[in-house]
Amino acid sequence: MRRGKRNDQGARGRIALVILACVGIYAVIGARLVTLGMAPAEAHDGLLFSPQDDVQAARPDIVDRNGEVLATDLATASLFAEPRNIIDVDEAVEKLTSVLPELDIESLRASLSTDRGFIWLKREISALKREQVHNLGLPGIGFLSETKRFYPGGRAVGHIVGHVNVDNAGIAGLEKAVDGSGLMALQAAGLARKGRALAPVRVSVDLRAQHAVRDELSRAMERYRSIAAVGIVLNARTLEVVAMSSLPDYDPNHPAEALEKPRMNRALAGVFELGSVFKTFTMAMGLDAGVINLNSTMDARYPLRLGRFTIKDFHAKSRVLTIPEVFKYSSNIGTAKVALMLGAERQKAYLKAFGMFDRLETELPEAARPLVPSRWPDVTAATVSFGHGLAVTPMHAAAAAAAMVNGGIFAAPTFYPRSEAETMQIGRRVISAEASDKMRRLLKLNAEEGSGRRAQVPGFDVGGKTGTAEKAVAGGYASDRRLNSFLAAFPIDDPQYVVLVVLDEPKPEEGQYAATAGLNAAPTVANIISRIGPMLNVTPRFNDNDDVARAMTVAYQD
Amino acid sequence: MVKHPARLAVVLITVLAATSSATAVFMMKKDAERDAKAIGELQRKISAERQRISELEAEWSALDHPARLQALVDRHNDVLRLENITAEQIATVIEVASAARRESEKRGASQ
C-alpha cells in the first residue's frame, strides 16, 4: 500500500506532465486556428482547375490613352480528337467532313487511325460549326474553348498593336513588347489565365487622332496618287506617340496581310533620305554651336563646288541670303555652307545626339537602323545638311524635331504614357533653349511666308519645313520620283505637338504642274492639324478678338 | 449510489465535450465544403461575366470606332448635317465675355 502510494505519487507527477504537454499542444493548435481565422479570407480559385485552363493563357487588353479597347481576348472553340477513343473512324471522317468540308479527308483519316491521346483538328471554329459538330454526337471528338485575340481598332492601329500567332503569343508590335515584359513568365507560372483580371496595357496613342491621321493620309494618297504615306503625331514635350500611321497598312485581325512587303510600317521600319526637312536640324546645329545667328548671311549667288560635285538650289535666288531666307527659300547652298562652317566632326556629333545614327529604342520591335555613310568627306557633310546621303526613319526625324522645338530636350519616343517630368529625367539636352527658341521663329516664318504657307490652320499657328527629296535609285537620284515630307509643330510659339507627313512618289494634282511638298504634304498636314487640334485640347488662339465675336455668332445661331 | 460522483461528472463532461466538438468539426467541414463549392460556382460565374463584359467592351469599341462613325455620318449627312469643328468655334469663357463687353460698348457708342 505504501509502495503503491509512492508509485501513485510518481504516476501523478507523470500524468500531470502529460496533461501539461497536451494542454500546451492544444494551446498552440488553438492559437494557430485563431490566427488563421483572423487572416482575411482569400479567394481560392485554385480549387477548380481543369485541363481547360491550360489552353486559356490570357493576354492583357491593350487600350488607347482614353480607354478605347484596341486589342482584347475573345473565347472561341477549338476542335480536338482523341483517336484512342474513336470507335468508327470511317463514320467520324465522313460526318466531320460533311460539316467541315475544309478538312482534308485523307490526312484526317490517317490522323484519326493512330493511337494517340490528343490531336487538334481545327483551331478557332465558329459558334455555328461548333453546334453542328456537337450535334453529330461523335465519341472521342470534343471542344476546348480557347482565347482568340480580337482587334476592335482594326487597320487604324495595326502597325502599333501588332498581332499574335494562333497560340496567342505576340509576334509583332506592342503584342510582342508585352510578351517581352514579363507576360511569358506569368503564363509559365500559370498566373495569367482567363478570368483573372490582368491589368490592361494603356498606350499613349489616341485612337481618334490616329483615325484622323490615317483618314487624311488615305485621302492624300488618293488625291496625289502616291504609292505610300506616313503620318506621325508626337507630343512635343513628352515625345509620346499620339498617332502613327503608315499606308498601306494591314488589319491585325488578318495577320497574313502583314507579310506583304508594301504593308510594312514605314514610320519606324523604313529608312528614307528625307531631304530638306533636314535643314531644320542643320540650322539648329549652326545656331546652337554659334557659327551662325539669325542675322548671318550666306552667299548663294553661285552653285557650291565640292570636288566633282556641284550643289545647286531648287528655288535659286542667286543672291546673298540671310539665315531666315536660306531656310525660307530652302537654299541647299546656304545650308551646305552652314554645315561646312560647322565641320564634319561637330555635325556628326550633333546628328549622333539627335539619335540619327542609332536604331530608335521605342517599345515596338520593328525598328530600322539608319543607313549612315561610312566615310564623311565634305561633300557628305554638305549633302547630309539638306537631307541626302543619310537615310533615317520618319520617326527619327519627328523625334529630333520635337527636341528642336521643345527647348532642346531629346528622348526616345514612347508608345506608353509618360509625364513631362519623366521625360525631362530620362531625356538629354541636345541644343540650348535659345537655339530652340530661334528654331521656332524660323519654322514660324517659313510657314507664314515660305514654302509651308499651305500648312497654316487658322488658330493653331503652325510652323514647319517642307522637304521635296528625289528618291535614290541605282546610280543616282531619280528626278521624277520624289519623297515629299512636311515637318510641323503647333502652336509654334509653345509647341505641344509635332506632326510629320511623308508622301512617297506623289504625282502632280490635276491642274497643277508640280508635285512639291508645299503643294501636297503641307496641305495634308493642315488637314490633320485642323482635325486633331480640337481633339487634343489645343486651345486655338487668334490675334484679333473679332474672330471670337464671329465664333459666338456661329455657335449660337439658330 | 454513485461511487465517485465528481469523477463521473468529469467523465460525462469530457465525453459530452468530445462529442459536441467532433460534431462541430464535422459540421464545419461540411460547411466549408459547401462554401468551397459555392465559391467555385461563383468564381465560374464571375469569370463568365468577365468574359461577357470583355466581349461587350470589344463590341462597343468596334461600334464606336472613329472609322465606322465617320462612315455612318457620311452616309446620313443629309439628315445629320454634321461638319468638322473649326478652331473659330472654340473660345474660352474669358474671350467670350470680353467680346460681349466690346459688343455692348460698341452698341452703347453708336446709340
Side-chain angles (χ1 to χ4, degrees), chain A residues 43-45 48 68-69 72-75 152-153 194-195 207 211 215 219 458 531 534 540 542 545-546 548 550-552, chain B residues 36 40 43 47 50-51 54-55 57-58 61-62 64-67 70 84-85 87-92 95-96 99-100 102:
Chain A
H44 284 267
D45 49 0
L48 291 171
E68 286 286 330
V69 180
T72 189
D73 279 345
L74 287 185
K194 203 173 59 147
L207 182 61
H211 166 72
D215 191 48
R219 278 172 208 222
R531 275 177 80 170
F542 292 95
N545 279 324
D546 288 344
V548 176
R550 198 177 67 230
M552 285 171 63
Chain B
Q43 242 142 20
S47 144
R50 281 222 184 101
Q51 185 62 39
S54 83
E55 268 165 35
E57 267 173 1
S61 282
D64 74 354
H65 191 285
Q70 186 178 332
N84 279 338
I85 190 167
E88 286 91 350
Q89 291 168 286
I90 304 169
T92 61
E95 284 174 320
V96 172
R102 269 183 297 126

Side-chain angles (χ1 to χ4, degrees), chain A residues 161 474 512:
Chain A
V161 296
Q512 297 272 12

Side-chain angles (χ1 to χ4, degrees), chain B residues 22-35:
Chain B
T23 319
V25 167
F26 180 73
M27 302 274 279
M28 274 184 204
K29 187 166 172 264
K30 280 287 160 200
D31 278 0
E33 273 171 16
R34 203 186 53 222
D35 287 353

Side-chain angles (χ1 to χ4, degrees), chain A residues 19-84:
Chain A
I19 289 174
L20 211 67
C22 286
V23 169
I25 290 166
Y26 277 100
V28 169
I29 293 174
R32 180 77 187 122
L33 280 177
V34 170
T35 55
L36 282 178
M38 301 288 274
E42 269 181 43
H44 284 267
D45 49 0
L47 285 172
L48 291 171
F49 268 161
S50 64
Q52 178 75 71
D53 295 302
D54 288 336
V55 291
Q56 288 191 338
R59 304 183 62 81
D61 286 0
I62 298 179
V63 300
D64 85 338
R65 66 186 306 130
N66 304 314
E68 286 286 330
V69 180
L70 304 181
T72 189
D73 279 345
L74 287 185
T76 56
S78 283
L79 185 67
F80 70 87
E82 296 163 317
R84 206 176 287 166

Side-chain angles (χ1 to χ4, degrees), chain A residues 190-221:
Chain A
L191 287 175
R193 295 198 188 280
K194 203 173 59 147
R196 287 241 188 190
L198 284 172
V201 176
R202 191 171 284 267
V203 299
S204 61
V205 173
D206 185 317
L207 182 61
R208 300 167 304 165
Q210 175 75 19
H211 166 72
V213 170
R214 184 178 183 276
D215 191 48
E216 289 302 334
L217 286 182
S218 61
R219 278 172 208 222
M221 268 181 76

